């Protein structure tokens, strides 16, 4: 089993907390990938209208095959990028011209280094800002984490943090494969044929640079990490993420997409609008529990320790990520 598939979640959180290149450990919430060989991590699922979902390791990829060119959503990890390109080549010989990054996390932008050689990389302004700032962020935040990890004897974590600090010390900002075309609120790509690709920046939810991508004709929506399908999400509060923001972002999306749209989540299997609504309900339940606890005078610690939402026990990450979700919801409730 590849080392990156068995890392503790703490390492994955660290990996997700900033743009991290190269051998980033993979968030790996989909258990069925565990038994696959390194050269067999990919599954391609056609969704109609020339749009495809591609599962590998890290955030789910989407791609659209137009008459002249291919548009790709997210690039997973550096070491996976050649495989992603190879999978796309099995579907079409059209060149890859655009890559959209849904946010700055390492499991969604790690392959940018390869893609930038032939594709225009597009994302929200904050994705570029956060990627370019990542060496400074790592230098500032990781030494304390490293000491903590050493004290706790977390070998994998220590190794990961040391690698990141080494990278941050030597990387030149101009080497970071950040998006070169950025936008503030919305952007459309007209990739040829009769498809229009809409990119919507949403209220801060997973991070403050989240975008979702909607293929108008195909009626396929790529949610990035604004949607974890049957997984407890990661709310990256240190990158501007917010539980209330998740609810607001999901409401915006649900108001704009037709009921029969297919939905690619950032993590988990391809889903539909009903699945997206169920994920919205998770935030309604979480925020409601937090508001009630606060109104009853419960402390944050007490709330985080005692809150229980049985409807989500079978979601991957209920043990690991749910307490952090609860803490965020408590902090944000009025
Ligand atoms: Zn993410």
């Amino acid at each position: 089993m590849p080392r990156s598939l068995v890392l503790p979640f703490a390492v994955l959180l660290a990996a997700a907390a900033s743009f991290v290149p190269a051998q980033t450990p993979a968030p790996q919430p989909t258990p069925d990938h565990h038994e696959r060989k390194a050269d067999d991590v990919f599954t391609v699922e056609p969704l109609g209208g020339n749009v495809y979902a591609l599962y590998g390791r890290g955030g789910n990829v989407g791609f659209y095959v137009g008459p002249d060119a291919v548009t790709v959503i997210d690039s997973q990890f550096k070491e996976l990028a050649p495989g992603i390109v190879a999978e796309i080549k099995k579907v079409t010989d059209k060149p890859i011209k655009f890559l959209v990054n849904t946010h700055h996390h390492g499991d969604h932008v790690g392959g940018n280094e390869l893609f930038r050689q032939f594709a225009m990389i597009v994302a929200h302004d904050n994705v570029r800002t956060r990627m370019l700032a990542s060496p400074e962020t790592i230098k500032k935040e990781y030494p304390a984490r490293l000491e903590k990890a050493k004290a706790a004897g977390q070998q994998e974590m220590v190794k990961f943090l040391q690698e990141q600090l080494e990278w941050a010390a030597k990387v030149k900002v101009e080497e970071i494969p950040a998006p070169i075309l950025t936008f503030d609120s919305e952007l459309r790509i007209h990739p040829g044929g009769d498809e229009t690709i809409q990119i919507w920046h949403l209220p801060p939810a997973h991070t403050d640079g989240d975008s979702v991508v909607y293929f108008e004709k195909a009626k396929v929506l790529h949610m990035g990490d604004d949607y974890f399908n049957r997984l407890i999400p990661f709310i990256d509060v240190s990158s501007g993420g917010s539980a209330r923001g998740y609810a607001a972002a999901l409401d915006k999306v649900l108001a704009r997409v037709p009921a029969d749209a297919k939905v690619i989540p950032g993590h988990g299997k391809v889903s539909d609008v009903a699945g997206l609504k169920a994920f919205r309900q998770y935030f309604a339940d979480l925020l409601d529990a937090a508001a009630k606890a606060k109104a009853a005078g419960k402390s944050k610690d007490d709330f985080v320790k005692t809150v229980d939402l049985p409807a989500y026990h079978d979601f991957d990450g209920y043990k690991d990520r749910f307490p952090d979700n609860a803490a965020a919801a408590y902090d944000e409730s009025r």
Side-chain angles (χ1 to χ4, degrees):
M1 194 183 301
R3 187 180 66 87
S4 61
L5 298 190
V6 291
L7 287 173
F9 188 74
V11 178
L12 309 183
L13 263 189
S18 55
F19 160 68
V20 277
Q23 315 80 5
T24 311
Q28 181 49 287
T30 317
D32 63 352
H33 292 176
H34 280 226
E35 301 309 320
R36 292 190 198 165
K37 283 183 247 133
D39 58 349
D40 187 25
V41 296
F42 299 109
T43 308
V44 173
E45 184 177 342
L47 299 176
N50 297 315
V51 178
Y52 299 79
L54 186 156
Y55 306 98
R57 292 207 318 266
N60 294 330
V61 168
F63 64 96
Y64 166 73
V65 180
D68 308 310
V70 180
T71 300
V72 181
I73 317 300
D74 284 344
S75 61
Q76 296 195 345
F77 294 103
K78 182 180 176 181
E79 67 272 26
L80 282 259
I84 293 169
V85 171
E87 291 295 318
I88 294 170
K89 294 280 170 230
K90 285 183 199 167
V91 175
T92 178
D93 57 3
K94 304 276 188 320
I96 297 167
K97 290 253 178 93
F98 292 99
L99 171 69
V100 180
N101 290 150
T102 58
H103 62 292
H104 74 285
H105 286 159
D107 58 324
H108 295 256
V109 304
N112 280 17
E113 205 169 308
L114 175 66
F115 278 86
R116 75 166 162 188
Q117 294 168 25
F118 42 78
M120 171 76 74
I121 305 182
V122 183
H124 182 261
D125 298 329
N126 291 349
V127 176
R128 179 176 169 85
T129 306
R130 289 200 178 278
M131 284 180 70
L132 295 183
S134 61
E136 287 313 308
T137 310
I138 287 169
K139 280 189 247 175
K140 208 168 78 194
E141 293 174 7
Y142 283 24
R145 285 197 203 177
L146 180 61
E147 290 318 306
K148 251 186 165 177
K150 276 182 182 166
Q154 299 165 326
Q155 297 307 324
E156 292 274 19
M157 186 63 153
V158 167
K159 187 162 183 282
F160 167 75
L161 293 169
Q162 280 170 339
E163 281 169 6
Q164 292 308 309
L165 280 161
E166 276 164 31
W167 173 80
K170 66 170 195 260
V171 72
K172 295 190 183 80
V173 169
E174 61 271 22
E175 292 169 357
I176 297 174
I180 60 165
L181 180 63
T182 67
F183 65 95
D184 179 7
S185 55
E186 295 198 4
L187 184 79
R188 283 170 186 72
I189 296 175
H190 303 274
D194 49 7
E195 188 56 274
T196 300
I197 303 172
Q198 303 191 23
I199 312 172
W200 307 329
H201 172 54
L202 295 174
H206 181 64
T207 72
D208 63 6
D210 303 339
S211 294
V212 300
V213 181
Y214 183 57
F215 299 89
E216 228 176 83
K217 183 89 192 313
K219 293 202 242 181
V220 175
L221 175 67
H222 190 304
M223 284 294 291
D225 283 359
D226 276 7
Y227 180 26
F228 284 62
N229 184 14
R230 298 192 63 77
L231 305 159
I232 298 296
F234 167 45
I235 306 170
D236 186 357
V237 175
S238 71
S239 298
S242 151
R244 293 177 76 90
Y246 252 111
L250 290 162
D251 284 343
K252 281 210 161 178
V253 171
L254 286 165
R256 289 184 79 162
V257 293
D260 58 346
K262 289 174 185 161
V263 186
I264 305 173
H267 298 274
K269 297 226 160 65
V270 167
S271 169
D272 53 16
V273 170
L276 201 55
K277 283 182 177 162
F279 186 60
R280 171 66 179 86
Q281 187 59 44
Y282 165 74
F283 285 100
D285 294 343
L286 176 68
L287 289 162
D288 183 52
K292 278 186 181 142
K294 215 169 200 174
K298 258 194 182 187
S299 71
K300 180 175 165 182
D301 270 5
D302 194 16
F303 173 65
V304 170
K305 273 190 202 126
T306 56
V307 61
D308 186 29
L309 299 179
Y312 307 101
H313 283 183
D314 63 337
F315 279 30
D316 188 283
Y318 190 83
K319 272 214 177 80
D320 303 321
R321 289 183 295 271
F322 183 67
D324 286 338
N325 281 205
Y330 185 93
D331 286 340
E332 293 175 41
S333 64
R334 295 171 190 139

